[in-house]
């Protein structure tokens, strides 16, 4: 995203919103803000979120694509039932060679996997509002801000274009009244579902992010490699998305020079910083067209070498429709990165939800065997995993090196740093950076947030409930300590621990008692008439009180009283 640009506001037409219950934010006092210049003293309950709040998980994939990717097994009839086939798709071949404007129109009208549920909406009962400002960030303090939409339209909402999957977002509405005063909403938070990330680039079909999955080599970063159909019909808005918001630097054209120079096509149509064009094989075990044919080994090496150079990223790779040649190279790249075979297959068939990918949808069964043949061929090489065998193919057949393979894996999993627009955040803290945000969460739903200054302590907002206690990372939280940073305090089922008591001296005995986690052990239970005592921890230190957070041994030494 371009941090210098205010994100555009999008209408809600055709956008399905998942509503959530919004809980009030409490736990604030004037003392929390006394030392902050220009700090508001409370978040107003007059501005509430319609959705995207209270830790809600939001699905950004449309239902058809989400169901398909969750199925985890291939079923062509099921895929066909999810996507309504249209004669519009059959027009693609004619349109691509005659009228580029028609191609762009088809793309915009028929792609069905563009992101959904990405418009933020709010309600307000603030009087005399002159304007609304909405800011969105990756952190609650807004030090990693990605959107600041001024003069936002409450009726239309504010769009997060092409949101990342599996990511926490924070947003806030600031109402400026006619007299210049400001009213701040609570800070709303939500998480996008951990799914495939599809992408909208106006005028370009079949676009999605190759990242967002955990593999044996690490989490594959989003925003590094995109796959799409041809770029010739990209619109002016699409160019802004491609270059500025996604930051794509390299066009990896898999059509070959002859096809890229056809009358309806052009080399480097988006005029990106770098452009590579190669004749590309497709599939395997299918005659001389596949990656298994020796005449294509050099091309495969040239293509895969593009991914070894961190200066080429972010990359958009494409052929004509973004399905066959692009699908083959994507399968190979994902195999090298350690993706599961079902994830590779589901990604490939997601193209069927795009205009370009579905224009010959009647060949779905044939395509199944063709893409499976890629995996079958790669699995003929030596190695314990598909990733090992795919690397072996690239090394033994195509002439790449293990260092090349390692470079691809390290770049794609973030071990080698590559700056992408998602990293280019800006600060709009409104003094929030001086504070810590403590979130209390009960049963994954009800949330209360406290904003605390340096040296302040969190206050228990309500009892965790019978049998439950407040914990941080599974450990009982100590409310007597000052907060040192943001934290999530959760109500979790209380554990019980044993306290072993070994008595020596004037009295000798041994017993074990059970204590709930977080309870203070009652030392008065150790008192015996006529005897004084000291208590040693299991480390041998004298203690006078004990909050039980684990199995503990107490050594009690009894002496005759005076």
């Amino acid at each position: 995203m371009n941090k210098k640009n205010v994100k555009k506001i999008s209408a809600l037409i055709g956008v399905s919103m998942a509503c959530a219950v919004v809980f009030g934010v409490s736990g604030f006092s004037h003392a929390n803000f006394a030392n902050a210049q220009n700090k508001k003293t409370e978040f107003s309950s007059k501005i509430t979120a319609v959705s995207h709040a209270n830790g809600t998980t939001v699905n950004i994939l449309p239902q058809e694509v989400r169901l398909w990717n969750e199925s985890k097994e291939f079923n062509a009839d099921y895929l066909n039932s999810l996507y309504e086939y249209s004669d519009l798709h059959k027009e693609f071949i004619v349109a691509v060679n005659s009228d580029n404007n028609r191609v762009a129109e088809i793309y915009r009208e028929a792609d069905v996997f563009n992101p959904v549920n990405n418009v933020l909406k709010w309600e307000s009962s603030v009087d005399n509002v002159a304007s609304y400002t909405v800011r969105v960030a990756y952190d609650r303090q807004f030090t990693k801000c990605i959107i600041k939409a001024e003069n936002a339209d409450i009726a239309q909402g504010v769009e997060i274009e092409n949101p990342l999957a599996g990511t926490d977002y924070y947003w806030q509405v600031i109402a400026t009244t006619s007299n210049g005063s400001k009213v701040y909403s609570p800070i709303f938070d939500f998480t996008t579902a951990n799914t495939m990330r599809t992408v909208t680039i106006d005028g370009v079909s079949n676009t999605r992010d190759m990242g967002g999955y955990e593999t044996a080599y690490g989490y594959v970063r989003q925003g590094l490699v995109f796959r799409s159909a041809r770029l010739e019909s990209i619109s002016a808005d699409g160019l802004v998305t491609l270059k500025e918001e996604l930051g794509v630097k390299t066009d990896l054209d898999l059509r070959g020079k002859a096809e890229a120079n056809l009358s309806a096509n052009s080399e480097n149509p988006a005029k990106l910083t770098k452009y590579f064009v190669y004749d590309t094989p497709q599939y395997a075990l299918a005659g001389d067209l596949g990656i298994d044919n020796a005449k294509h080994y050099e091309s495969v090496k040239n293509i895969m070498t593009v991914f070894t150079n961190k200066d080429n990223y972010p990359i958009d790779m494409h052929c004509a429709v973004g399905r066959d040649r692009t699908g083959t190279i994507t399968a190979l790249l994902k195999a090298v990165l350690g993706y599961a075979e079902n994830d590779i297959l589901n990604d490939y068939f997601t193209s069927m939800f795009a205009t370009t990918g579905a224009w010959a949808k009647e060949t779905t069964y044939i395509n199944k065997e063709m893409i499976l043949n890629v995996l079958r061929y790669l699995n003929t090489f030596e190695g314990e995993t598909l990733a090992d065998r795919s690397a072996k193919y690239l090394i033994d057949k195509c002439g790449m090196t293990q260092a090349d393979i390692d470079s691809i894996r390290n770049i794609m999993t973030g071990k080698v740093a590559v700056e992408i627009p998602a990293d280019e955040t800006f600060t709009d803290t409104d003094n929030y950076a001086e504070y810590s945000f403590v979130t209390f969460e009960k049963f994954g739903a009800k949330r209360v947030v406290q904003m605390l200054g340096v040296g302040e302590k969190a206050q228990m907002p309500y009892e965790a409930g019978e049998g439950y206690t407040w914990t941080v990372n599974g450990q009982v939280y100590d409310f007597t300590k000052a907060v040192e940073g943001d934290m999530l305090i959760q109500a979790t089922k209380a554990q019980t621990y044993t306290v072993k008591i070994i008595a020596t001296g004037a009295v000798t005995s041994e017993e074990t008692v059970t204590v709930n986690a977080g309870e203070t052990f009652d030392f008065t239970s150790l008192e015996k008439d006529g005897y004084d005592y000291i208590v040693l921890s299991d480390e041998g230190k004298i203690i006078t009180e004990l909050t039980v957070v684990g199995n503990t041994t107490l050594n009690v030494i009894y002496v005759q009283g005076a």
Side-chain angles (χ1 to χ4, degrees):
M1 300 172 186
N2 187 342
K3 64 183 179 182
K4 296 180 181 179
N5 291 342
V6 173
K7 301 289 280 188
K8 67 182 182 182
I9 302 171
S10 298
L12 283 175
I13 298 174
V15 178
S16 173
M17 302 297 294
C19 292
V21 178
V22 180
F23 292 89
V25 178
S26 62
F28 297 95
S29 68
H30 289 276
N32 289 347
F33 311 101
N35 298 322
Q37 185 177 8
N38 298 324
K39 171 60 63 179
K40 59 189 176 300
T41 56
E42 62 180 8
F43 293 150
S44 175
S45 60
K46 292 185 176 181
I47 304 175
T48 58
V50 174
S51 66
H52 296 76
N54 196 45
T56 306
T57 297
V58 177
N59 285 306
I60 58 174
L61 281 179
Q63 184 177 14
E64 299 94 331
V65 184
R66 179 172 57 82
L67 290 174
W68 165 250
N69 278 273
E70 289 176 352
S71 69
K72 299 301 181 187
E73 64 180 49
F74 178 79
N75 183 306
D77 288 333
Y78 177 58
L79 176 62
N80 290 342
S81 72
L82 291 175
Y83 188 89
E84 183 179 354
Y85 183 67
S86 169
D87 288 340
L88 185 64
H89 306 141
K90 295 180 180 178
E91 298 179 18
F92 173 73
I93 296 178
V94 177
V96 78
N97 289 312
S98 60
D99 184 353
N100 285 338
N101 292 327
R102 177 58 179 159
V103 174
E105 184 179 345
I106 291 173
Y107 290 169
R108 287 194 293 272
E109 287 179 352
D111 271 8
V112 298
F113 64 59
N114 294 336
V116 297
N117 296 337
N118 55 347
V119 177
L120 309 177
K121 290 282 291 178
W122 67 96
E123 294 177 343
S124 172
S125 59
V126 178
D127 295 330
N128 302 316
V129 175
S131 65
Y132 292 101
T133 297
V134 176
R135 54 185 181 178
V136 185
Y138 295 131
D139 68 327
R140 194 180 290 275
Q141 290 92 337
F142 296 94
T143 62
K144 298 178 181 178
C145 201
I146 57 173
I147 297 173
K148 187 170 185 180
E150 297 176 333
N151 298 312
D153 190 325
I154 190 172
Q156 292 182 319
V158 170
E159 178 185 6
I160 303 177
E161 294 185 354
N162 298 317
L164 297 171
T167 301
D168 294 331
Y169 285 91
Y170 301 87
W171 63 289
Q172 185 178 40
V173 180
I174 304 170
T176 302
T177 65
S178 55
N179 65 7
S181 63
K182 293 184 177 182
V183 179
Y184 294 78
S185 78
I187 298 172
F188 310 119
D189 64 311
F190 68 96
T191 300
T192 51
N194 192 20
T195 59
M196 173 186 293
R197 181 196 184 199
T198 58
V199 173
T200 300
I201 301 176
D202 191 56
V204 182
S205 178
N206 200 14
T207 307
R208 54 193 178 277
D209 195 320
M210 273 195 51
Y213 287 73
E214 189 72 43
T215 75
Y217 303 100
Y219 179 79
V220 180
R221 289 187 68 193
Q222 299 175 70
L224 289 176
V225 178
F226 301 92
R227 54 172 298 181
S228 72
R230 61 201 297 274
L231 300 179
E232 271 78 5
S233 56
I234 192 168
S235 69
D237 284 345
L239 283 172
V240 172
T241 301
L242 183 72
K243 293 182 176 181
E244 297 183 19
E245 294 172 10
L246 300 177
V248 173
K249 184 187 299 183
T250 296
D251 181 344
L252 177 53
D253 191 337
L254 304 177
R255 296 175 297 180
K257 284 184 175 294
E259 185 178 342
N261 284 319
L262 290 174
S263 59
N265 304 330
S266 62
E267 288 196 3
N268 198 9
K271 301 297 183 290
L272 298 181
T273 305
K274 296 185 179 184
Y275 178 74
F276 301 95
V277 56
Y278 298 112
D279 289 306
T280 307
Q282 60 185 35
Y283 306 116
L285 308 177
D288 63 353
L289 295 177
I291 62 172
D292 53 323
N293 190 287
K295 73 177 185 179
H296 296 304
Y297 292 159
E298 184 177 358
S299 289
V300 172
K301 177 182 179 180
N302 289 336
I303 292 165
M304 297 300 290
T305 298
V306 173
F307 299 108
T308 66
N309 184 352
K310 70 181 184 68
D311 294 332
N312 291 335
Y313 290 83
I315 299 167
D316 179 76
M317 67 171 169
H318 65 89
C319 49
V321 303
R323 184 185 68 187
D324 304 302
R325 288 166 289 189
T326 303
T328 300
I329 298 303
T330 299
L332 178 57
L333 181 57
K334 286 195 167 187
V336 167
L337 291 170
Y339 278 66
E341 291 193 17
N342 270 337
D343 287 332
I344 295 173
L345 291 173
N346 281 345
D347 173 57
Y348 169 83
F349 281 100
T350 300
S351 291
M352 301 301 174
F353 293 92
T355 302
T356 56
W359 69 266
K361 189 158 168 280
E362 63 274 11
T363 65
T364 298
Y365 284 107
I366 298 174
N367 291 346
K368 173 191 176 183
E369 292 304 310
M370 289 161 62
I371 191 63
L372 279 172
N373 279 342
V374 173
L375 302 180
R376 289 171 181 144
Y377 172 65
L378 294 175
N379 277 321
T380 64
F381 290 84
E382 293 181 358
E384 294 184 3
T385 65
L386 175 61
D388 295 335
R389 298 169 198 136
S390 303
K392 189 72 171 170
Y393 159 73
L394 290 173
I395 293 170
D396 289 357
K397 296 296 186 181
C398 302
M400 298 186 74
T401 67
Q402 185 60 49
D404 292 330
I405 305 299
D406 292 341
S407 180
I408 294 173
R409 290 169 176 166
N410 289 337
I411 292 170
M412 292 292 289
T413 57
K415 297 179 181 67
V416 172
V418 175
E419 185 173 295
I420 56 178
D423 299 329
E424 297 176 4
T425 58
F426 61 96
T427 297
D428 187 42
T429 63
D430 194 15
N431 292 326
Y432 289 166
E434 301 174 13
Y435 292 86
S436 296
F437 287 82
V438 178
T439 302
F440 289 85
E441 181 180 83
K442 186 172 184 179
F443 313 133
K446 185 176 181 180
R447 286 191 168 196
V448 172
V449 180
Q450 297 176 3
M451 187 167 71
L452 305 175
V454 177
E456 292 187 318
K457 302 172 185 176
Q459 303 296 316
M460 187 185 302
Y462 50 85
E463 293 295 330
E466 185 177 354
Y468 287 81
T469 189
W470 292 109
T471 64
V472 174
N473 296 325
Q475 298 296 317
V476 176
Y477 182 67
D478 184 355
F479 284 93
T480 67
K481 293 183 178 180
V483 171
E484 296 180 350
D486 295 351
M487 65 176 61
L488 174 65
I489 304 179
Q490 296 175 299
T492 56
K493 189 74 173 179
Q495 293 179 285
T496 58
Y497 294 106
T498 60
V499 178
K500 187 176 183 180
I501 305 165
I502 301 175
T504 59
V507 176
T508 59
S509 65
E510 183 175 315
E511 63 176 311
T512 300
V513 296
T514 301
V515 182
N516 288 328
E519 286 187 5
T520 300
F521 181 76
D522 183 9
F523 277 40
T524 62
S525 65
L526 301 176
E527 295 176 353
K528 294 184 183 297
D529 291 341
Y531 297 101
D532 293 327
Y533 64 90
I534 61 171
V535 182
L536 304 179
S537 68
D538 49 3
E539 292 91 7
K541 297 180 179 178
I542 296 177
I543 58 175
T544 57
E545 62 179 16
L546 171 68
T547 299
V548 180
V549 295
N551 295 328
T552 307
T553 298
L554 297 181
N555 297 283
V556 184
I557 302 175
Y558 287 92
V559 295
Q560 187 70 44

